[in-house]
Amino acid sequence: MYSARSNPIATYKKPTRNSKRRLIKNLLRRSTTSSDIPSTSISKKPSTLKHGSEHSLTGISSRSSSYKKDKNNKHKKESSSKHKNKKKILKHDDGPISLAVLTEDGIQIKSRKPKSYEYEDYANILLSSARTSMSSSRTSFTGTRSSDAESYMETASTLSCVTCLSDSVSALSVDTSATNHTSSLYTTNSNLAGSGGNIKHKHHYASVNGQIPTNSVIPYSMILNAKYIDLQNLNINNKNANTVISDSNHHFVEITFGKPRRQDVVPKSLTLLIENPDKNRLNDIVEEILQRSYKNSKRQRRILVIINPYGGKGNAKKIFMRKSKKLLMASGFKFDIQYTKYRGHAIDIAQNININKYDTIACASGDGIPHEVINGLYRRLDRVDAFNKLAITQIPCGSGNAMSVSCHWTNNPSYATLFLIKSIETRCDIMCMSQPSYKDNIPKLSFLSQTYGIIAESDINTEFIRWLGPSRFELGVAFNIFQRKKYPCDLYVKYFTKSKNELKLHYLNEKSHQRKYTNNALRDDDDCDEDTDKEIITEDIDNYITDDLFKVKYPLDEGVPDDWELVDPALTNNLGIFYTGKMPYVAADTKFFPAALPSDGVMDIVLTDSRTPFTRMIPILLALDKGSHVLQPEVIHSKIYAYRLVPRQEEDDPANNNNNSNNADKCKDKDSIEDYLDYNDVEEDDYNIAKDSGLLSIDGEKYPLETLQVEVIPKLCKFLLRDGQFVDTEFGSM
Ligand SMILES: Nc1ncnc2c1ncn2[C@@H]1O[C@H](COP(=O)(O)OP(=O)(O)OP(=O)(O)O)[C@@H](O)[C@H]1O
């Protein structure tokens, strides 16, 4: 009857509520043939409940196919083949709700023999959960050829979590535009507030009870939530059931976890009877699971999600709703949603946000919205509190998702959400910028990059082909290099490491320090020696910033400090690429700053000469995805504390170029920064003027072409980093 051969997807018909009940009754009746079921319970009830992981692997899907066959009573051939399958299925004595134990890495599913009274209990559970679980039957074999379900069953139990649940994500190559959806899986009843109220999400997730093979381990890193199941609330009167519930060594627990499904991860729930082998050690098994699942990461964040409905190809809202929302809800996170209504709206949102209400701002957008959010917070009078309270993160929904690729190690929105949920708040450096035209000389902040020359033009001047997605950028770069465009400027730099050797050494040192700290932080408290404790406490104090941090060390109007070096004019007169950055990826496939580190107090600078032969530029550009372009002799790569860039119009007299203020004034008249930041009032003409005169692109946003001075503010901003680190660029082994 439990045909694994039959195709549950092909035969599936959405059951009605009555039919679900009939189905469950039928299943219970059929199950009376099981030799495992005591006669007392057989006659009345039981059970779908036979047999463990394998049996239950057919789980809901096979139930739905049986359902149809019962109804039609037609397919004799299939019945006989099902009969064979049933024998196979019955070879284990596992119960309907799998037994599980906590291991170092996750929750391991064990096989077990069910107790008689559980059949009744489980029948009730099934009835109560049928509304949601039946509706999911259609998709419960996703990822498996349903016609091969039997072979899947046979092999699955021998496989560990590695196949179905492991955290094996190499999602960097996953296209964000993928729009496979799972919404039919869920019954949600959420009161989402753009309204600002507290949100109560009542939701059920497709149950995978019966689909997880014995010996699978659900890694803690995938577990989103856990809660006790009170069988008494499910109208179970059997006193034997009470015995189990009150047994301190066993607990019925529903866990919700992220399950890989096609290229995404979706929330699923699973009811387990969790065995506590050492009742003296674990008092509260749910708390224990949650602690292990959220080690070093914050539980129950309160998030303001800012969605740019025009981000990327204009489907940021759809991406968030389909890929992220349910994961956040499943984790018990509370969130409000706010849509940006005009250019620069995210600045206003961040400037006015009630910082007591949230601990996180998640930008469902490209990199433009985090840039605006950081600047909005910076404009607040209580900015110290704001930067102490709020962490900023991205759910990749734009065309440039460098923050997500660098911080969550993926540009896949569902995985990014999972890693956001499990991430570690990490203080990261920010770059503080000054330009002559900034209103009241208040600096602006940049978290990602500043670029002038080829890359800037390729980023900004390809806005009109936004519909092309990320490839618009590569197209622009190739076009400009082919044209051999040069971008003359003067450049003053305060170096930290000038040579590539020094830079590498610094990187390796920082990495080993970071590893040491992470290991210490991850170590269990009881393993910590005194020194380690001290280190962690110091880091905690470091986690709070004070107003001193906002003081600009090198004010623009004080001229170039003596210890800054002028970069060779032979190069800067013919500049091809000028690029400075603080995150390793500037786009999904562009590892432009492979040596970037979150909080080493310096930024990376990359320069090229436009006279570099085209034949040499091609391998450099082709190495951008691996990040090995910085190793090419034609590429200058250093770590710097600060710089001043003075762009020159080609027609300018180079002799006058040291006169920075003249240059700046000229630009000031032409391109006011407020034209760019107060997007409401922006005139189309101003954009065209800037386009014609070359460009500065900051975090992917257009800025006026005038003198730009930048310094690093160490550890200003809290970002959510997976494992507390940027994605591994493998720069250390290059
Ligand atoms: N409702 C809106 N109307 C017009 N522009 C908007 C709106 N909301 C946000 N913006 C602007 O869109 C710009 C880009 O935003 P975002 O980074 O989210 O998208 P993107 O497509 O990924 O762009 P990027 O290429 O910079 O990554 C920002 O400058 C922002 O101010």
Side-chain angles (χ1 to χ4, degrees):
M1 292 307 227
Y2 299 99
S3 169
R5 277 190 200 286
S6 63
N7 182 341
I9 295 174
T11 57
Y12 174 80
K13 272 190 185 170
K14 198 177 176 191
T16 62
R17 193 170 159 171
N18 279 343
S19 64
K20 285 174 203 163
R21 287 176 180 273
R22 264 204 310 279
L23 161 64
I24 291 166
K25 276 188 189 161
N26 282 338
L27 291 166
L28 296 176
R29 225 178 285 131
R30 258 175 250 129
S31 67
T32 56
T33 53
S34 167
S35 57
D36 301 319
I37 300 169
S39 57
T40 48
S41 38
I42 292 170
S43 55
K44 285 184 191 165
K45 345 249 151 187
S47 113
T48 62
L49 318 175
K50 313 166 265 186
H51 319 298
S53 40
E54 272 104 0
H55 149 68
S56 47
L57 198 68
T58 59
I60 294 159
S61 295
S62 52
R63 279 173 214 136
S64 69
S65 63
S66 310
Y67 157 71
K68 194 178 178 211
K69 277 174 211 115
D70 268 356
K71 203 176 171 193
N72 298 326
N73 200 15
K74 278 178 188 171
H75 310 289
K76 286 184 183 167
K77 267 190 182 174
E78 280 186 34
S79 292
S80 67
S81 72
K82 265 178 257 159
H83 197 67
K84 281 180 212 157
N85 298 336
K86 186 178 161 191
K87 276 185 186 164
K88 275 183 187 162
I89 293 161
L90 291 178
K91 70 187 175 188
H92 285 271
D93 278 344
D94 302 338
I97 295 178
S98 302
L99 186 70
V101 290
L102 304 193
T103 67
E104 281 276 298
D105 305 321
I107 300 179
Q108 186 172 25
I109 312 296
K110 295 286 197 189
S111 59
R112 74 177 177 116
K113 190 165 181 161
K115 304 275 189 291
S116 59
Y117 48 79
E118 285 177 51
Y119 298 116
E120 181 183 4
D121 302 341
Y122 191 59
N124 284 311
I125 291 169
L126 271 180
L127 280 169
S128 71
S129 65
R131 272 161 232 119
T132 52
S133 57
M134 290 303 292
S135 68
S136 74
S137 59
R138 188 177 182 195
T139 45
S140 55
F141 268 115
T142 304
T144 312
R145 292 260 158 268
S146 35
S147 56
D148 288 332
E150 181 191 325
S151 60
Y152 172 66
M153 275 175 359
E154 285 174 348
T155 50
S157 63
T158 61
L159 300 176
S160 75
C161 60
V162 201
T163 49
C164 63
L165 296 168
S166 70
D167 182 2
S168 58
V169 187
S170 61
L172 285 180
S173 58
V174 177
D175 183 0
T176 35
S177 64
T179 52
N180 292 316
H181 59 84
T182 58
S183 49
S184 63
L185 276 175
Y186 306 93
T187 309
T188 54
N189 174 14
S190 61
N191 170 22
L192 277 182
S195 57
N198 285 351
I199 313 120
K200 284 198 178 112
H201 305 291
K202 196 165 177 258
H203 45 86
H204 303 281
Y205 299 96
S207 167
V208 290
N209 260 28
Q211 295 174 55
I212 306 291
T214 303
N215 289 331
S216 297
V217 175
I218 302 169
Y220 294 121
S221 58
M222 302 295 267
I223 294 175
L224 305 169
N225 218 337
K227 65 174 189 213
Y228 289 111
I229 298 229
D230 186 353
L231 293 183
Q232 283 161 318
N233 286 346
L234 295 171
N235 296 326
I236 292 170
N237 298 318
N238 191 314
K239 65 178 185 339
N240 289 323
N242 294 337
T243 318
V244 165
I245 299 159
S246 60
D247 171 359
S248 62
N249 277 355
H250 294 87
H251 305 270
F252 282 103
V253 174
E254 183 189 86
I255 62 157
T256 310
F257 62 99
K259 187 172 188 291
R261 180 170 177 262
R262 301 201 191 105
Q263 73 268 49
D264 286 319
V265 60
V266 294
K268 297 274 180 180
S269 69
L270 174 63
T271 305
L272 296 169
L273 181 61
I274 298 193
E275 188 177 61
N276 175 6
D278 177 4
K279 70 176 173 202
N280 295 327
R281 189 160 180 263
L282 308 172
N283 296 323
D284 182 344
I285 202 104
V286 161
E287 181 57 24
E288 182 72 20
I289 292 169
L290 289 173
Q291 273 181 22
R292 293 183 188 200
S293 303
Y294 284 86
K295 201 165 186 175
N296 296 307
S297 50
K298 191 169 191 160
R299 270 149 65 176
Q300 309 213 313
R301 286 185 178 279
R302 298 180 61 85
I303 305 178
L304 176 67
V305 180
I306 301 179
I307 300 180
N308 173 6
Y310 296 95
K313 292 180 183 171
N315 51 10
K317 178 181 174 186
K318 199 158 89 184
I319 294 173
F320 175 78
M321 293 300 174
R322 291 183 173 177
K323 310 280 181 177
S324 297
K325 189 177 123 185
K326 284 146 198 155
L327 286 161
L328 293 177
M329 285 162 68
S331 309
F333 283 22
K334 295 206 165 64
F335 57 92
D336 292 332
I337 295 176
Q338 197 153 357
Y339 296 95
T340 54
K341 297 202 175 83
Y342 49 85
R343 272 183 167 268
H345 188 189
I347 298 178
D348 297 339
I349 294 172
Q351 205 171 351
N352 298 310
I353 187 178
N354 176 357
I355 60 171
N356 297 319
K357 199 171 161 200
Y358 304 102
D359 51 38
T360 308
I361 300 180
C363 308
S365 66
D367 296 315
I369 301 300
H371 172 83
E372 292 181 3
V373 165
I374 291 164
N375 279 287
L377 295 181
Y378 185 69
R379 291 182 188 185
R380 294 173 67 106
L381 291 175
D382 62 349
R383 61 190 179 185
V384 175
D385 295 336
F387 281 106
N388 276 329
K389 178 84 196 298
L390 295 166
I392 297 156
T393 191
Q394 180 183 53
I395 297 167
C397 299
S399 55
N401 302 309
M403 183 184 233
S404 179
V405 181
S406 301
C407 300
H408 302 313
W409 313 5
T410 177
N411 71 337
N412 173 301
S414 63
Y415 275 101
T417 307
L418 174 71
F419 300 136
L420 176 164
I421 290 164
K422 295 310 185 84
S423 60
I424 301 177
E425 277 185 9
T426 311
R427 283 224 163 263
C428 295
D429 303 337
I430 290 288
M431 296 166 287
C432 177
M433 309 179 299
S434 302
Q435 288 192 281
S437 61
Y438 290 0
K439 203 174 168 188
D440 301 328
N441 289 333
I442 298 172
K444 317 280 175 204
L445 302 182
S446 157
F447 72 96
L448 179 62
S449 63
Q450 306 92 45
T451 181
Y452 168 62
I454 289 172
I455 307 279
E457 289 219 10
S458 310
D459 196 12
I460 305 259
N461 279 349
T462 54
E463 288 273 335
F464 68 99
I465 44 172
R466 176 167 283 276
W467 50 269
L468 257 181
S471 44
R472 78 170 214 251
F473 173 75
E474 280 121 55
L475 203 71
V477 173
F479 182 71
N480 284 328
I481 285 180
F482 193 68
Q483 284 193 317
R484 290 243 178 155
K485 278 188 102 168
K486 64 177 177 180
Y487 302 83
C489 65
D490 293 310
L491 182 60
Y492 302 86
V493 169
K494 181 173 171 62
Y495 283 107
F496 174 62
T497 61
K498 195 167 180 180
S499 76
K500 290 184 179 178
N501 278 346
E502 285 174 308
L503 188 152
K504 184 72 165 271
L505 212 60
H506 161 74
Y507 179 85
L508 293 173
N509 279 343
E510 284 287 316
K511 272 293 199 190
S512 78
H513 174 76
Q514 200 178 37
R515 247 192 315 274
K516 203 173 111 200
Y517 173 69
T518 311
N519 288 343
N520 284 343
L522 291 174
R523 211 185 293 167
D524 284 341
D525 285 352
D526 27 319
D527 295 339
C528 289
D529 57 26
E530 251 176 47
D531 287 347
T532 310
D533 282 344
K534 261 184 219 151
E535 192 171 354
I536 291 169
I537 290 162
T538 314
E539 292 281 346
D540 269 341
I541 293 165
D542 278 357
N543 238 353
Y544 288 91
I545 59 158
T546 60
D547 205 32
D548 296 345
L549 210 55
F550 292 100
K551 197 164 179 291
V552 176
K553 274 194 241 120
Y554 309 108
L556 184 62
D557 55 9
E558 285 185 12
V560 179
D562 290 343
D563 59 344
W564 294 25
E565 286 183 37
L566 177 68
V567 176
D568 184 359
L571 167 67
T572 54
N573 286 339
N574 296 287
L575 195 80
I577 294 173
F578 168 91
Y579 216 152
T580 46
K582 244 334 298 184
M583 285 192 178
Y585 278 82
V586 295
D589 298 321
T590 314
K591 209 192 288 182
F592 212 96
F593 301 109
L597 293 165
S599 56
D600 58 352
V602 283
M603 59 192 141
D604 284 39
I605 185 167
V606 170
L607 305 171
T608 66
D609 191 319
S610 63
R611 296 166 299 176
T612 309
F614 196 61
T615 48
R616 283 300 307 142
M617 279 310 286
I618 287 177
I620 290 171
L621 292 177
L622 289 178
L624 279 178
D625 58 338
K626 296 190 182 64
S628 54
H629 60 288
V630 293
L631 306 178
Q632 305 294 326
E634 293 85 357
V635 175
I636 290 167
H637 182 207
S638 308
K639 289 246 177 209
I640 61 175
Y641 292 109
Y643 71 86
R644 176 179 291 202
L645 172 79
V646 188
R648 276 201 312 258
Q649 305 298 310
E650 276 184 74
E651 63 274 14
D652 283 355
D653 178 3
N656 293 333
N657 279 329
N658 285 338
N659 188 346
N660 301 331
S661 56
N662 281 350
N663 230 336
D665 284 345
K666 254 188 258 168
C667 296
K668 187 176 176 180
D669 294 334
K670 210 193 290 179
D671 302 309
S672 162
I673 183 66
E674 293 309 318
D675 289 344
Y676 295 93
L677 290 181
D678 291 337
Y679 292 117
N680 288 319
D681 307 326
V682 78
E683 298 290 336
E684 194 61 35
D685 286 351
D686 293 330
Y687 276 104
N688 294 332
I689 291 167
K691 272 183 192 170
D692 293 343
S693 55
L695 287 165
L696 272 180
S697 167
I698 291 167
D699 297 351
E701 301 299 305
K702 184 157 54 176
Y703 268 68
L705 187 72
E706 59 180 4
T707 299
L708 170 68
Q709 185 155 306
V710 180
E711 65 185 58
V712 172
I713 305 184
K715 297 185 179 178
L716 176 67
C717 213
K718 282 196 285 187
F719 292 142
L720 299 186
L721 305 192
R722 184 173 166 189
D723 287 354
Q725 298 182 30
F726 282 156
V727 61
D728 184 12
T729 60
E730 294 168 357
F731 179 70
S733 56
M734 277 179 199

